[in-house]
Amino acid sequence: MKKSLRLVLAVIALALIALSWWSVLRVQTSLVVRKMERQQIPLLYIAPKNAQNVPGVLIAHGYAGSKQLMLAYAYTLAHAGYATMLWDFNSHAANTKPLEKNSLQQNLNLAYTVLVEQPEVDKSRLATLGHSMGSGAVMSAAINQASRYAATVAVSPTGASITANVPRNLLLQAGSWENRFVGNAKRLLQAGGGENSNFAQGKARKLVVISNAEHITILFRHFSHQAAKDWLNSTFGINNQSNYVDYRMLWYFLHLLAWLTLLAAIAPILADSSITYKTGQLKSWMGLLIAPFVATGILMLINRVSDIDGLGGVLVGGAVSIWFGVAGLSWLIAMAPLQLPSARALVIGITLFIILSIGFGAMAQVVWLEWWLIPARLQIFPILAVACFPWFLASGVAQQNLNFGQRTLWWLGQSTVLIGGFILVLYFLPQLSFIYLLLPLFPVFMAIFSFCSELLNNAWAYAIGSSLFFGWVLASAFPLS
């Protein structure tokens, strides 16, 4: 790539990064945003500016989620005239307190207390909204304290003791691609007496299936946000004209694309092919195909002597990192002997990690993920990164000096092996069932990593940067054990 073209790409990328940040942050300009902490529980309050006596809504995230993951509902409702309160459940995101039997309800009750203290909130008009694990928490709260909450929205619902009378005015949502949760929602609707539009007596019931959505993407679908807002409007007799559509995820992806473009523009400065591996493609493919069986077998053996769910300091995430490590080691054994990395490869790898962390994570912090690690998670991060390192080194060796078509085939191969390998894990270790919800993310991550591999064409630099980044993702996303 010519130097002039690289300069143009860099300028365009920087302009898109600035535009993306402006577009994401301007969402807050007409809102009140208060970050708080009470009894070591991080909370986030979002409401319209200059509001008085508006309805309040508690918004609860799901397992391995965070308050950021539910921001689309908060912004949609706040722009429509609602005061919203979000928080991190125990052991999730920025909350280091242990996840115990009654902690979900304790966290929710604390969030309620803080919500009704806010000057904008009408204490007599409250509602709840929750996703997955959070849906069970909000439904239970609305059942046990029926006089407190006038409506409940359960997204991808789990379970609760629903009747025809409680919770009041229940809206159930599930994505058309998450069959188990659609089934849950249908059973809950039946237990609640079936569909009903009697909002005045609190007996309204409805199930909305969000088309072409699964367990995570449903949280970013406008139809889901709109359905929740319309349900609460009907409950409280509100007729507002808000036309807010939450486009923040689109700007987030544009921001990530811009950073990858910037990486492409500066890649010739970083690229280092001083170490070249001549590994037969047949050996590389055989190593990749064998890897998931070896890794799954090792996890099964570990499960015999230890709690596989809480390895590495994070629930599920530690097992994921061990799988990557064992699979990577078996893949490496099938390929050529390794040369030691150069000091330059280390510098390039750390630079790649910094670029990916900013491009992927900086905006994620205000859009959908608690990216900046609290001290408890920062201690776990190096362990997870080291565990994942063999996979990325093997991947870098296999992909060195390949053309675009060959790299595309490797991306498809790695994605297929990861999805198939973790389905195999779930068959033998069902206690790690949350991994099932992550399977759609593997092709996305592998596409980003393959792109970086092509730009750098250095197995060690690629492995260092990618494993540090992926270890950080695992440390930030999963609950603390």
Side-chain angles (χ1 to χ4, degrees):
M1 187 186 299
K2 293 182 179 179
K3 187 176 181 179
S4 57
L5 178 58
R6 289 180 10 230
L7 180 60
V8 170
L9 283 177
V11 171
I12 293 174
L14 291 172
L16 290 176
I17 290 168
L19 176 62
S20 300
W21 274 107
W22 177 81
S23 300
V24 166
L25 295 178
R26 70 188 292 266
V27 170
Q28 301 181 3
T29 54
S30 61
L31 304 175
V32 172
V33 180
R34 299 184 188 124
K35 295 180 181 179
M36 296 170 277
E37 184 173 302
R38 186 75 60 87
Q39 298 178 20
Q40 301 178 49
I41 309 299
L43 302 113
L44 181 63
Y45 174 76
I46 302 175
K49 279 185 179 178
N50 305 317
Q52 292 182 334
N53 295 322
V54 297
V57 185
L58 296 175
I59 301 178
H61 66 77
Y63 185 81
S66 63
K67 56 187 177 297
Q68 287 93 327
L69 194 58
M70 304 299 289
L71 278 172
Y73 295 97
Y75 283 130
T76 298
L77 293 175
H79 280 284
Y82 292 86
T84 63
M85 181 67 73
L86 308 94
W87 66 97
D88 293 328
F89 280 119
N90 283 10
S91 86
H92 287 71
N95 185 341
T96 59
K97 299 181 74 173
L99 186 62
E100 298 173 338
K101 183 178 180 180
N102 296 317
S103 61
L104 297 184
Q105 289 304 314
Q106 291 170 359
N107 294 164
L108 189 149
N109 290 336
L110 177 67
Y112 160 80
T113 300
V114 179
L115 175 65
V116 297
E117 290 174 356
Q118 305 308 308
E120 298 86 0
V121 178
D122 181 349
K123 302 174 182 60
S124 66
R125 294 191 295 166
L126 301 176
T128 63
L129 184 154
H131 172 244
S132 194
M133 177 185 76
S135 74
V138 300
M139 285 189 290
S140 295
I143 290 169
N144 296 330
Q145 297 155 322
S147 61
R148 178 177 290 179
Y149 302 109
T152 293
V153 179
V155 183
S156 303
T158 51
S161 301
I162 303 299
T163 71
N165 297 314
V166 290
R168 296 162 63 195
N169 299 327
L170 174 63
L171 173 65
L172 299 159
Q173 293 189 23
S176 62
W177 293 347
E178 48 173 0
N179 293 333
R180 181 162 66 92
F181 292 95
V182 172
N184 287 346
K186 288 179 178 179
R187 286 189 289 271
L188 290 170
L189 182 64
Q190 184 177 11
E195 290 208 4
N196 194 322
S197 58
N198 191 342
F199 286 94
Q201 294 185 12
K203 296 184 177 182
R205 302 279 186 269
K206 187 176 182 180
L207 167 60
V208 175
V209 177
I210 309 298
S211 62
N212 304 321
E214 43 75 53
H215 199 65
I216 303 300
T217 55
I218 190 174
L219 300 176
F220 306 107
R221 297 296 301 277
H222 174 64
F223 188 38
S224 175
H225 312 153
Q226 188 70 32
K229 183 188 74 171
D230 291 345
W231 190 258
L232 297 183
N233 284 349
S234 296
T235 296
F236 296 116
I238 294 174
N239 181 21
N240 61 56
Q241 302 299 319
S242 171
N243 57 359
Y244 174 80
V245 179
D246 193 75
Y247 290 120
R248 293 171 312 114
M249 278 301 289
L250 292 178
W251 289 112
Y252 168 79
F253 282 117
L254 181 62
H255 175 266
L256 175 57
L257 180 62
W259 274 98
L260 292 175
T261 301
L262 184 62
L263 177 61
I266 65 173
I269 302 172
L270 299 176
D272 176 16
S273 300
S274 57
I275 298 178
T276 301
Y277 294 98
K278 295 182 179 179
T279 303
Q281 287 291 290
L282 179 60
K283 290 199 320 185
S284 298
W285 279 104
M286 288 299 296
L288 175 62
L289 295 175
I290 293 169
F293 297 100
V294 178
T296 302
I298 294 298
L299 281 187
M300 292 172 63
L301 290 175
I302 293 174
N303 188 53
R304 290 175 177 267
V305 298
S306 181
D307 178 14
I308 193 71
D309 186 43
L311 292 175
V314 287
L315 296 174
V316 180
V320 171
S321 69
I322 291 174
W323 190 97
F324 268 86
V326 175
L329 283 173
S330 63
W331 189 4
L332 282 172
I333 291 171
M335 295 190 292
L338 297 176
Q339 302 175 46
L340 293 176
S342 63
R344 178 172 169 78
L346 177 62
V347 173
I348 295 171
I350 294 175
T351 303
L352 174 63
F353 166 61
I354 293 171
I355 291 174
L356 288 177
S357 295
I358 296 174
F360 181 91
M363 185 174 285
Q365 178 73 24
V366 298
V367 173
W368 69 279
L369 175 67
E370 182 77 32
W371 179 253
W372 305 120
L373 300 183
I374 56 176
R377 294 181 179 276
L378 198 58
Q379 295 173 17
I380 297 168
F381 153 64
I383 300 171
L384 299 176
V386 169
C388 293
F389 180 78
W391 173 275
F392 291 104
L393 182 56
S395 175
V397 171
Q399 295 181 83
Q400 193 167 14
N401 299 320
L402 299 183
N403 59 38
F404 177 77
Q406 291 171 319
R407 288 184 185 277
T408 301
L409 188 61
W410 271 106
W411 162 76
L412 180 62
Q414 289 184 81
S415 299
T416 302
V417 164
L418 286 172
I419 293 173
F422 279 105
I423 289 175
L424 186 66
V425 169
L426 296 177
Y427 179 79
F428 291 105
L429 299 169
Q431 63 266 46
L432 300 176
S433 59
F434 184 76
I435 293 175
Y436 175 77
L437 303 176
L438 304 178
L439 297 183
L441 299 177
F442 285 130
V444 177
F445 277 112
M446 289 304 110
I448 294 173
F449 292 137
S450 294
F451 178 73
C452 296
S453 175
E454 180 176 7
L455 293 177
L456 300 181
N457 200 35
N458 181 294
W460 280 97
Y462 163 76
I464 292 167
S466 299
S467 60
L468 287 172
F469 171 71
F470 196 65
W472 192 285
V473 170
L474 296 179
S476 66
F478 289 97
L480 297 168
S481 62

